[in-house]
C-alpha cells in the first residue's frame, strides 16, 4: 500500500504535492502506516480548506522539530519500549516560557527505528504519556531527507561550504530534494491531526530540516498562527543563490507569520535574499522588521536562544558533580585548566584550536607543564568522509602536541572522545579558568553560557571546590567571531579562528588577566545569561508571534499558486479587486466622468525597456476621449516633451507632466505652468549632492527635469542602492531644509520638487473646474501604482462634490498591485488596467452608437411627419 504522506514524482512534477487528504482534526488519531488514516476516522464534511475554529477546544502550542525531545530504548529480551524526556533538549526546556498556554504538543521523529507493527502502540503511548506525536518516516525517505539533503546540501551550504569539488560537498541531487519535500509533507500531515482550533492554536516550527513545512500548513489552514525559527546560520546571498531550490525555500519560509534568527547578520542575509531573488523590500515598524508579502506582513525576529538555568544549577548540585570536581582537582592539581566542548564537526574548528594551543606552548615556555586543554568531543551528528578526516586530523595534532610538550604525568591536551554526562561536563566547566569556542561557523553555540553559569556556581559546588562563601567568581572566554553567541558576549575576547597566532595570544591574555577584570567580565556575562534564558527566549518569540497574527481574522484570504509556489493573498475587507462588471455599471449610469491615469507602471510595465505607449494604449485612450462625457488625463512624473511627443495622436487627452508642474487640458491647448514655484536656485545645491551619490553608486543616474531632480537607482545593486537612497534622502533634507522644496522617496528613486506640486493638486484642479462649470462628475476613476499616486487617491476622495448630483458620485481609487494603499481597489498589473480601460471604451462606443441610431431614427420620423 502506498502512503498518502509520500508524494509521487507525478505529484511533484505537476505541483499537486501539497493537496492534503481529508483528515479529522481531533485527538487522538493514530496512523498504523505512515500517512494512512482509517476510513472511519475521516470526516466527510471537511472540505480541506476550512479555518473555522472548533468549539469547546482550548489553545495549545504545537512544537514541530526533526526530533522529539525523548530518549527511546527497547528491551531486547522483553521487546518492551521505554521512553523518557530528554532533559537536555531545548524543545523541552522552552516550555517554561509557555506558562499562559495550557497544553504543549510535540511533533517530530524518534531517534530510533520502530517497526511498522509497533507504530500504533508506540504512538498511543507517546501521546498519552508525553503529549508527543511521532512522525514515522519510511527509512528510505528519511535517509535521503536527513543524511542526504539536510546534511549534505543544506548544512554545508548554510555554513558557507560550496560543493566546488567532490571533496567539499555534493552536487545537487533532485531525488534528495524530493525526499526532503516528502518528509516535510509527512510532518504536515501529523500537525494537521493535532490542530483543533486555528483561532487559538499556535504552531512553532524549528530549524532547516523543515523549511518547506510552512507552505504545506498554510495551504491547509490559511489563517494558521505559524512561527519558524532557524537555529543555524543563514548564509549571504552570494552563497545562498547557488542553491537550485533557493526560491522555493524562500517562498515557503514566507508562509510563516514570524521568522526567527539568532543574530542580525543571519536576518540581514535572509532579507537580502528576499530582496534580490523575490524583489521584496522590508521596513522597520516601531522596532519590528516586516516584509510585505501579498498583503501579509511577515515579521522578522532577532533573538539568540538561552539556556535553562535550573537545569545547569541542578546538575551543579548533583552529588556526582561534586565527586567529579574533586577527582578533576586531584588529577590536574597545580595545572591551569582550559576547557573546550564541541561536536565532532568540520565547522567547530577543533583542529585550529589545537594548533593555537601548540603555538601558545611554543611561544610561552613558562606554560609548558602547567597549561592543560581538556577537549571534550561530542559524537558526530552526521556521517561522511569529511567527519572522519577531521577526526583523524584532531588525533594527529593531539598526539604531536603531547609528544612534543608532554612528559610522564603531564599531557597538555586531554582529548575525551566519548559521550560525557552533563554532570561531568559541569565539573570541568566549574574548574576551568578559561573556555574557548573556536568554531569557523556556528549558528549559536551555548557552551559559553553553560560555562558562565557553572563558574558562578552554587553553594554546594562552592563547598566542593573549597571556595569561601560570598567569594566573587571569575571566568574568561575566548569566542570565535563567527559564532551566533559572540555578539551577546561583549566581555569575551573575540577571535578569528583562522588566525592561529591571534587565538594563541587571546588564550594567554584570558588566563593571565587580572582577577578584578575577570570578575567584572564574568559579572556582566552572568547578568545577561541569567536574564536571557530559554524561557525568556520562548516567551519573547511567542509575544511577537501573537502580535504578528493579531490581524488574521480581520482580513480576507485567498490561496494562490501551485506546489511550493503557494502563498496567501491577504487583503482588507474594504480593499478588493476592481470588477469590470461593477465599474461598467456605474460608468453607464453617469453623464459626466473624470478619469486620471498614471503612466509608468500603470499604462506600461516598469520592466519594459521601451517606455513609448503601444498602439493599444493610444487606441484605448482615443476611444475614451472620443466620448464627450469623459475628461481623461494622464498624470505623470515624466517631462512634458516626452509626454507631448508620445501622445501627439491623442488630441482630446489632458496631460499633467512633472507631477502637475506643467498642465494642459488637451492636445490643442497650451501648457500651463504652476504658480507654486518660481525660484529654482535649490537645484544648484541638490544636483552636486546627487552627483556625488551617482559617482559612488554604480548603476544610478540623475534625471534633470525643468521643475525637479530625480535620482534613479533601479539598475544599481538592490541592497546598496536602497541604502544609498536612504542616505541621500537624509542628506538632501538637511541641505535643503530652508528651501521651498519637498524631498520624496519613490520606487527606486529619490526626487526633489517644489512644495505643493503633487498629483493630488492636479486632480483637485480638474474636479474643481468641472464642479464650478456646473458639470460635476458622477463618476471618478483614478489608477496609479506609485507613492506619488496616493495623493490623487486621497484628493478624489476628499473633494466636496456638488449637491446638485442626484446621488453621491461613484469614486474608484485603484492601485496597481496588492499593497498597502489609500485606494479601495486594486488591479494586478498593466494588462488588467488596459483590459479595464478597453471595457470602458467599449461601453462608450456602445452608448455612442445607440445615441447615433436614436438620432437617425428621430430624423427619419421627423421627415415622414
Amino acid at each position: 500500500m502506498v502512503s498518502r504522506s509520500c508524494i509521487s514524482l507525478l505529484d511533484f512534477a505537476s505541483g499537486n504535492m501539497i493537496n492534503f487528504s481529508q483528515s479529522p482534526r481531533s485527538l487522538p488519531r493514530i496512523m498504523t502506516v505512515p500517512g494512512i488514516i482509517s476510513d472511519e476516522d475521516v470526516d466527510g464534511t471537511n472540505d480541506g480548506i476550512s479555518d473555522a475554529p472548533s468549539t469547546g477546544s482550548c489553545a495549545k502550542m504545537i512544537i514541530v522539530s526533526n526530533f522529539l525531545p525523548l530518549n527511546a530504548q527497547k528491551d531486547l529480551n522483553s521487546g518492551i519500549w521505554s521512553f523518557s524526556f530528554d532533559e537536555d533538549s531545548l524543545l523541552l526546556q522552552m516550555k517554561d516560557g509557555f506558562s499562559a498556554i495550557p497544553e504543549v504538543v510535540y511533533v517530530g521523529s524518534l531517534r530510533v527505528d520502530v517497526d511498522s507493527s509497533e507504530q500504533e502502540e508506540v504512538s498511543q503511548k507517546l501521546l498519552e504519556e508525553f503529549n508527543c506525536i511521532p512522525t514515522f518516516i519510511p527509512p528510505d525517505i528519511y535517509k535521503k531527507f536527513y543524511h542526504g539533503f539536510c546534511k549534505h546540501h543544506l548544512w554545508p551550504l548554510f555554513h558557507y561550504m560550496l560543493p566546488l569539488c567532490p571533496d567539499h560537498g555534493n552536487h545537487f541531487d533532485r531525488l534528495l530534494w524530493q525526499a526532503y519535500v516528502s518528509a516535510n509533507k509527512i510532518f504536515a500531515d501529523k500537525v494537521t491531526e493535532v490542530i483543533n482550533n486555528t483561532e487559538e492554536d499556535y504552531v512553532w516550527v524549528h530549524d532547516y530540516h523543515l523549511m518547506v513545512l510552512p507552505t504545506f500548513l498554510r495551504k491547509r489552514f490559511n489563517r494558521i498562527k505559524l512561527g519558524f525559527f532557524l537555529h543555524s546560520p543563514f548564509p549571504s546571498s552570494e552563497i545562498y543563490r547557488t542553491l537550485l531550490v533557493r526560491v522555493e525555500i524562500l517562498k515557503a519560509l514566507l508562509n510563516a507569520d514570524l521568522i526567527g534568527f539568532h543574530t542580525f547578520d543571519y536576518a540581514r542575509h535572509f532579507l537580502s535574499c528576499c530582496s534580490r531573488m523575490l524583489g521584496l523590500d522590508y521596513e522597520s515598524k516601531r522596532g519590528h522588521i516586516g516584509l510585505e508579502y501579498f498583503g501579509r506582513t511577515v515579521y522578522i525576529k532577532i533573538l539568540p536562544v538561552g539556556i535553562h538555568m535550573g537545569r545547569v544549577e541542578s546538575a551543579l548540585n548533583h552529588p556526582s558533580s561534586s565527586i567529579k570536581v574533586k577527582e578533576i582537582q586531584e588529577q590536574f592539581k597545580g595545572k591551569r585548566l582550559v576547557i573546550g566542548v564541541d561536536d565532532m564537526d568540520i565547522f567547530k574548528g577543533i583542529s585550529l584550536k589545537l594548533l593555537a594551543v601548540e603555538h601558545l606552548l611554543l611561544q610561552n615556555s613558562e606554560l609548558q607543564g602547567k597549561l592543560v586543554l581538556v577537549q571534550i568531543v561530542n559524537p558526530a551528528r552526521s556521517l561522511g568522509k569529511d567527519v572522519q578526516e577531521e577526526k583523524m586530523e584532531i588525533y594527529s595534532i593531539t598526539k604531536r602536541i603531547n609528544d612534543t610538550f608532554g612528559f610522564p604525568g603531564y599531557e597538555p591536551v586531554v582529548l575525551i572522545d566519548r559521550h560525557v554526562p552533563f554532570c561531568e561536563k559541569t565539573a570541568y566547566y566549574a574548574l576551568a579558568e578559561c573556555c574557548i569556542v573556536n568554531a569557523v561557523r556556528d549558528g549559536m553555540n551555548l557552551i559559553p553560557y553553560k560555562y558562565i553559569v557553572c563558574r558562578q556556581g552554587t553553594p554546594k559546588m562552592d563547598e566542593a571546590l573549597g571556595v569561601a562563601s560570598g567569594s566573587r567568581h571569575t571566568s574568561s572566554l575566548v569566542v570565535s567571531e563567527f559564532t551566533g553567541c559572540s555578539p551577546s558576549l561583549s566581555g569575551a575576547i573575540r577571535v578569528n579562528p583562522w588566525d592561529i597566532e591571534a587565538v594563541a595570544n587571546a588564550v594567554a591574555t584570558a588566563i593571565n588577566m587580572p582577577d578584578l577584570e575577570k570578575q567584572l567580565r564574568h559579572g556582566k556575562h552572568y547578568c545577561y545569561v541569567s536574564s536571557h534564558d530559554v524561557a525568556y527566549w520562548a516567551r519573547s518569540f511567542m509575544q511577537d508571534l501573537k502580535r504578528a497574527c493579531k490581524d488574521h481574522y480581520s482580513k480576507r484570504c485567498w490561496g494562490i499558486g501551485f506546489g511550493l509556489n503557494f502563498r496567501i493573498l491577504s487583503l482588507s475587507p474594504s480593499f478588493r479587486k476592481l470588477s469590470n462588471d461593477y465599474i461598467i455599471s456605474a460608468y453607464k449610469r453617469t453623464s459626466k466622468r473624470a478619469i486620471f491615469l498614471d503612466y509608468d507602471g500603470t499604462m506600461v510595465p516598469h520592466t519594459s525597456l521601451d517606455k513609448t505607449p503601444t498602439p493599444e494604449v493610444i487606441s484605448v485612450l482615443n476611444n475614451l476621449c472620443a466620448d464627450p462625457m469623459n475628461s481623461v488625463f494622464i498624470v505623470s512624473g515624466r517631462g512634458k516633451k516626452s509626454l507631448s511627443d508620445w501622445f501627439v495622436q491623442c488630441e482630446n487627452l489632458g496631460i499633467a507632466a512633472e507631477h502637475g508642474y506643467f498642465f494642459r487640458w488637451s492636445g490643442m491647448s497650451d501648457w500651463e505652468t504652476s504658480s507654486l514655484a518660481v525660484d529654482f536656485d535649490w537645484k544648484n545645491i541638490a544636483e552636486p549632492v546627487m552627483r556625488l551619490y551617482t559617482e559612488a553608486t554604480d548603476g544610478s543616474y540623475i534625471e534633470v527635469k525643468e521643475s525637479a531632480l530625480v535620482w534613479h537607482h533601479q539598475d544599481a545593486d538592490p541592497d546598496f542602492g536602497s541604502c544609498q537612497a536612504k542616505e541621500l534622502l537624509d542628506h538632501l533634507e538637511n541641505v535643503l531644509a530652508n528651501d521651498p522644496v519637498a524631498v520624496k522617496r519613490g520606487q527606486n528613486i529619490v526626487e526633489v520638487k517644489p512644495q505643493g506640486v503633487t498629483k493630488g493638486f492636479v486632480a483637485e484642479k480638474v474636479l474643481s473646474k468641472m464642479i464650478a462649470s456646473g458639470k460635476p462628475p458622477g463618476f471618478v476613476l483614478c489608477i496609479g501604482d506609485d507613492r506619488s499616486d496616493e495623493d490623487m487617491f486621497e484628493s478624489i476622495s476628499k473633494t466636496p462634490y456638488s449637491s446638485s448630483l442626484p446621488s453621491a458620485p461613484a469614486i474608484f481609487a485603484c492601485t496597481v498591485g496588492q499593497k498597502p494603499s489609500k485606494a479601495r481597489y486594486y488591479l494586478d498589473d498593466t494588462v488588467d488596467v488596459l483590459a479595464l480601460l478597453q471595457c470602458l471604451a467599449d461601453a462608450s462606443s456602445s452608448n455612442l452608437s445607440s445615441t447615433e441610431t436614436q438620432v437617425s431614427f428621430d430624423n427619419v420620423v421627423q421627415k415622414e411627419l
Side-chain angles (χ1 to χ4, degrees), residues 129-158:
E129 298 181 13
F130 301 95
N131 240 20
C132 290
I133 310 293
T135 56
F136 296 116
I137 302 175
D140 57 330
I141 292 180
Y142 189 82
K143 182 178 180 181
K144 294 176 183 176
F145 153 66
Y146 183 69
H147 295 292
F149 194 76
C150 289
K151 288 301 182 182
H152 285 168
H153 283 306
L154 292 180
W155 179 256
L157 187 77
F158 278 28

Side-chain angles (χ1 to χ4, degrees), residues 415-571:
L415 192 64
I416 304 176
D417 185 9
R418 59 174 172 81
H419 172 71
V420 178
F422 187 56
C423 288
E424 185 177 343
K425 287 180 182 176
T426 59
Y428 280 108
Y429 290 142
L431 283 167
E433 284 188 51
C434 174
C435 176
I436 175 170
V437 175
N438 206 48
V440 297
R441 188 73 60 178
D442 205 349
M444 182 59 193
N445 203 311
L446 294 174
I447 298 301
Y449 288 22
K450 296 173 183 177
Y451 167 73
I452 290 164
V453 176
C454 290
R455 289 291 290 177
Q456 180 69 17
T458 62
K460 284 189 177 180
M461 180 54 69
D462 287 348
E463 183 181 346
L465 291 169
V467 176
S469 178
S471 298
R472 296 190 65 181
H473 297 86
T474 65
S475 64
S476 297
L477 278 171
V478 176
V479 177
S480 165
E481 61 191 58
F482 299 113
T483 59
C485 64
S486 174
S488 58
L489 297 171
S490 56
I493 302 175
R494 298 190 181 102
V495 294
N496 176 357
W498 303 101
D499 190 340
I500 293 169
E501 184 177 354
V503 175
N505 292 337
V507 174
T509 301
I511 61 178
N512 293 321
M513 192 181 293
D515 284 346
L516 178 59
E517 187 172 353
K518 287 182 180 180
Q519 291 169 4
L520 293 174
R521 289 178 185 245
H522 171 79
K524 185 177 185 180
H525 287 160
Y526 183 75
C527 180
Y528 175 84
V529 172
S530 58
S531 60
H532 291 73
D533 62 355
V534 66
Y536 172 86
W537 172 75
R539 187 165 53 250
S540 178
F541 188 90
M542 272 305 302
Q543 288 172 353
D544 279 12
L545 181 57
K546 289 179 180 178
R547 181 182 50 78
C549 300
K550 63 182 174 61
D551 294 330
H552 272 197
Y553 286 87
S554 65
K555 293 186 176 183
R556 297 182 299 162
C557 297
W558 294 269
I560 56 176
F562 298 99
L564 290 178
N565 287 317
F566 177 85
R567 63 269 190 203
I568 291 295
L569 174 60
S570 180
L571 300 174

